[in-house]
C-alpha cells in the first residue's frame, strides 16, 4: 500500500519557538494532504487541508497564522507551529489522498510535539 | 466538529472472544470507514463500506451499515492480543477527503 512518512516522529521545544513538521507521500502523488491534531485519549480533529500550489484551508477555530502550512510539491506538505505554547503539545498526524484513488487516504505515523 | 459517537468507549475481552464496536453519525454519507490506531501511532485503514452496502467482510472483520439509523458496527471475530488498539469510524460527508472521526473505542484483548 501507499506510504506516508512524517518527520520528526517526536520533538520537544521551548515555549516561543517554532517547530516544522514534514509530511511526505513516498510512492504516490498527493494533490491534497490533511493535518489532524489528537490530544491524549481523544479522537482526531481536522485542522486544515493542504493543497498543492495554493493556500491551505483551515477549519473553524484553527489559527492560520499560528499553524502555517506549505504544500510546495505533490509529495510534501509542512506544518509549522509558530510561537509554540504548552497547550500546543499534541500528536499531529497528516494524511494524503492518492488522486488516483477515489476515497482512500493514507496516514502518516504522527509527530508527538511537547512544548516546555 | 466531531459528528461520530462510538460505543463503548472502552472494551476489554479475552483472546478468542468477539469484539463489537458501534458508531453513529449525523449527516448523510457516501461511505464510512474504520481505522485502527495502536498507541502513539498513526492510523491504519481497515475497511470502507459504501452507503449502498449493508455488510462487508474482510478477514476477521465484519462491518455493517444502517443508513436509516445512521449507524455502523465493527465486529472483530476470534480476537487476538495484537488487536489491542483504538478503533475509529470516520465519514467524509462532502467527499472532500476531510474525515470526521468518531470518539473511538479502546479495545484491550487479554491473552
Amino acid at each position: 500500500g501507499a506510504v506516508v512518512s512524517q518527520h520528526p516522529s517526536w520533538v520537544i521545544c521551548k515555549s516561543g519557538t517554532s517547530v516544522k513538521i514534514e509530511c511526505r507521500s513516498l510512492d504516490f502523488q498527493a494533490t491534497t494532504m490533511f493535518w489532524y491534531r489528537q490530544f491524549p485519549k481523544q479522537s482526531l480533529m481536522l485542522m486544515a487541508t493542504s493543497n498543492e500550489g495554493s493556500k491551505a484551508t483551515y477549519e473553524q477555530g484553527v489559527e492560520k497564522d499560528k499553524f502555517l502550512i506549505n504544500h510546495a510539491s505533490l509529495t510534501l506538505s509542512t506544518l509549522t507551529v509558530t510561537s509554540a505554547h504548552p497547550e500546543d503539545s499534541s500528536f499531529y498526524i497528516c494524511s494524503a489522498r492518492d488522486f488516483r484513488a477515489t476515497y482512500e487516504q493514507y496516514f502518516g505515523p504522527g509527530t508527538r510535539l511537547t512544548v516546555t | 466538529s466531531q459528528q461520530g459517537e462510538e460505543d463503548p468507549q472502552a472494551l476489554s475481552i479475552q483472546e478468542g472472544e468477539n469484539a463489537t464496536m458501534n458508531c453513529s453519525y449525523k449527516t448523510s454519507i457516501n461511505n464510512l470507514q474504520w481505522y485502527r490506531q495502536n498507541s502513539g501511532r498513526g492510523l491504519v485503514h481497515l475497511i470502507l463500506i459504501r452507503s449502498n452496502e449493508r455488510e462487508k467482510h474482510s478477514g476477521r472483520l465484519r462491518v455493517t451499515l444502517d443508513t436509516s439509523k445512521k449507524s455502523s458496527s465493527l465486529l472483530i471475530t476470534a480476537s487476538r492480543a495484537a488487536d489491542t488498539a483504538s478503533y475509529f469510524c470516520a465519514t467524509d460527508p462532502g467527499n472532500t477527503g476531510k474525515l470526521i472521526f468518531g470518539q473511538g473505542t479502546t479495545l484491550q484483548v487479554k491473552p
Side-chain angles (χ1 to χ4, degrees), chain A residues 23-43:
Chain A
C23 176
R24 292 181 185 272
S25 57
L26 297 185
D27 50 4
F28 67 99
Q29 293 181 326
T31 53
T32 304
M33 292 183 175
F34 303 91
W35 287 96
Y36 295 83
R37 181 167 56 184
Q38 184 180 33
F39 291 108
K41 299 189 185 301
Q42 294 189 26
S43 188

Side-chain angles (χ1 to χ4, degrees), chain B residues 2-65:
Chain B
Q2 295 292 322
Q3 78 156 353
E5 299 287 334
E6 291 188 58
D7 76 273
Q9 289 189 342
L11 181 61
S12 181
I13 59 175
Q14 293 293 135
E15 208 164 26
E17 295 179 340
N18 295 340
T20 300
M21 291 158 262
N22 302 296
C23 162
S24 62
Y25 56 92
K26 296 179 182 177
T27 63
S28 61
I29 60 171
N30 294 313
N31 63 75
L32 184 142
Q33 304 176 49
W34 284 89
Y35 289 85
R36 184 182 76 197
Q37 183 182 35
N38 288 85
S39 181
R41 307 294 294 274
L43 273 69
V44 174
H45 183 264
L46 294 177
I47 196 167
L48 178 151
I49 186 167
R50 301 180 193 280
S51 59
N52 62 353
E53 297 177 309
R54 291 296 169 259
E55 187 171 309
K56 197 166 184 178
H57 296 254
S58 177
R60 293 184 296 111
L61 305 180
R62 180 171 78 95
V63 170
T64 63
L65 179 64

